[in-house]
């Protein structure tokens, strides 16, 4: 009940689902892997099944995140919110604090119009995460410190950025082709510009600091997710 009470502080409609004892519910839209995970009674095997999928698709790109989850996951739950399903990861960090991270259903349909129109231009590895692992993976309470859901991806050209008035040199990304997939919750974004995004080249974009260019998208995402855990 303590966990449920915590979750409901941020979403009154959220529920934890017992898949094995749930009847008359349509789970056709969730990945078959999720059914296997939550029908499995052994928690260690649940973790293995789930993280094998992470490793299969982005084992190199998210190696630190996967290693941390292997060592620190203490529980997994299937969540339901008005017919939409996600996985809740309960993570115990080095200070003994339990953190809740949500990974949404990769089979979700998203409604981010600009991103839909350009989805095929986004890096294959980024699309793989969203289509094969989760539609975002982030700290539950703030929906940040992780890859946000596709409906929450920031299209840079839709916003007024005050920092632009302070940058003397031409910016090295095109705001019209740039999307912030990772948010740190404090005005920092890991941005993929599909016009200049070969080999997962990305930028750090800030509300109030100069951008950092020519970073590797996954190197920063992997590092920042683990920083968030700690």
């Amino acid at each position: 009940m303590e966990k449920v009470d915590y979750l409901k502080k941020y979403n009154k409609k959220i529920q934890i689902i017992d898949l094995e004892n749930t009847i008359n519910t349509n789970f056709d839209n969730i990945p078959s892997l999720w059914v296997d995970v939550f029908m499995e009674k052994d928690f260690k095997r649940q973790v293995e099944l789930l993280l094998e999928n992470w490793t299969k698709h982005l084992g190199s790109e998210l190696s630190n995140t996967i290693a941390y989850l292997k060592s620190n996951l203490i529980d997994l739950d299937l969540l339901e919110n008005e017919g939409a399903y996600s996985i809740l990861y309960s993570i115990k960090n080095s200070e003994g604090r339990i953190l809740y991270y949500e990974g949404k259903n990769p089979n979700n349909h998203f409604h981010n119009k600009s991103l839909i129109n350009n989805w095929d231009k986004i890096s294959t590895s980024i699309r793989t995460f969203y289509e094969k692992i989760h539609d975002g993976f982030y700290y539950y309470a703030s929906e940040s410190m992780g890859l946000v859901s596709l409906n929450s991806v920031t299209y840079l050209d839709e916003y007024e950025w005050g920092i632009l008035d302070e940058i003397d040199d031409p910016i090295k990304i095109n705001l019209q082709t740039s999307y912030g997939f990772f948010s740190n919750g404090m005005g920092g974004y890991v941005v993929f510009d599909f016009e200049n995004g070969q080999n997962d080249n990305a930028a750090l974009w800030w509300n109030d600091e100069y951008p950092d260019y020519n970073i590797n998208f996954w190197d920063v995402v992997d590092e920042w997710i683990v920083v968030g855990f700690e």
Side-chain angles (χ1 to χ4, degrees):
M1 285 304 298
E2 184 177 329
K3 182 190 294 185
V4 173
D5 290 344
Y6 174 84
L7 299 177
K8 286 185 179 291
K9 281 171 53 179
Y10 303 96
N11 185 342
K12 299 289 187 186
K13 298 178 180 179
I14 206 77
Q15 297 183 69
I16 294 177
I17 300 296
D18 181 351
L19 187 63
E20 188 175 9
N21 295 316
T22 300
I23 58 174
N24 300 323
T25 303
N26 185 359
F27 294 113
D28 290 347
N29 188 46
I30 70 172
S32 58
L33 170 65
W34 290 22
V35 176
D36 293 341
V37 167
F38 289 105
M39 293 298 286
E40 173 62 56
K41 299 185 187 308
D42 180 67
F43 175 68
K44 183 178 179 181
R45 182 57 184 152
Q46 284 186 326
V47 173
E48 288 175 351
L49 286 170
L50 197 57
L51 294 186
E52 280 171 3
N53 188 53
W54 285 65
T55 302
K56 173 183 176 182
H57 295 293
L58 289 171
S60 298
E61 292 85 350
L62 289 170
S63 58
N64 295 317
T65 299
I66 293 167
Y68 197 100
L69 291 174
K70 282 181 179 177
S71 299
N72 296 278
L73 257 178
I74 62 169
D75 204 3
L76 293 166
D77 294 288
L78 182 65
L79 301 183
E80 187 267 334
N81 176 26
E82 296 186 306
Y85 295 89
S86 58
I87 292 179
L88 185 74
Y89 293 68
S90 298
I91 303 160
K92 190 171 186 178
N93 70 10
S94 61
E95 297 179 350
R97 182 183 172 203
I98 297 175
L99 307 175
Y100 299 109
Y101 272 69
E102 182 176 18
K104 287 191 172 180
N105 185 355
N107 293 343
N108 283 348
H109 297 291
F110 66 100
H111 310 288
N112 188 329
K113 185 175 180 181
S114 170
L115 187 56
I116 288 172
N117 292 337
N118 293 301
W119 187 237
D120 62 341
K121 300 169 187 162
I122 301 300
S123 161
T124 300
S125 63
I126 295 174
R127 285 187 283 121
T128 294
F129 180 86
Y130 282 94
E131 294 172 354
K132 302 296 184 182
I133 300 176
H134 284 302
D135 174 22
F137 177 77
Y138 47 78
Y139 182 53
Y140 175 86
S142 63
E143 296 189 19
S144 63
M145 281 312 291
L147 291 158
V148 298
S149 70
L150 291 175
N151 283 328
S152 298
V153 167
T154 300
Y155 179 39
L156 267 60
D157 198 46
E158 286 184 343
Y159 295 87
E160 297 290 335
W161 301 98
I163 189 63
L164 292 176
D165 297 331
E166 302 177 26
I167 300 175
D168 297 326
D169 300 326
I171 63 172
K172 298 179 182 179
I173 60 173
N174 182 351
L175 299 188
Q176 296 181 344
T177 57
S178 293
Y179 296 88
F181 286 93
F182 185 105
S183 169
N184 71 353
M186 297 176 289
Y189 303 86
V190 184
V191 169
F192 182 79
D193 172 10
F194 66 74
E195 189 176 84
N196 302 288
Q198 294 79 13
N199 299 316
D200 292 328
N201 183 54
L204 284 178
W205 186 260
W206 308 91
N207 281 337
D208 54 5
E209 298 180 33
Y210 274 48
D212 296 309
Y213 302 109
N214 299 316
I215 64 168
N216 179 272
F217 181 90
W218 291 110
D219 286 351
V220 176
V221 166
D222 194 30
E223 178 183 351
W224 276 15
I225 291 176
V226 173
V227 167
F229 291 156
E230 286 296 308

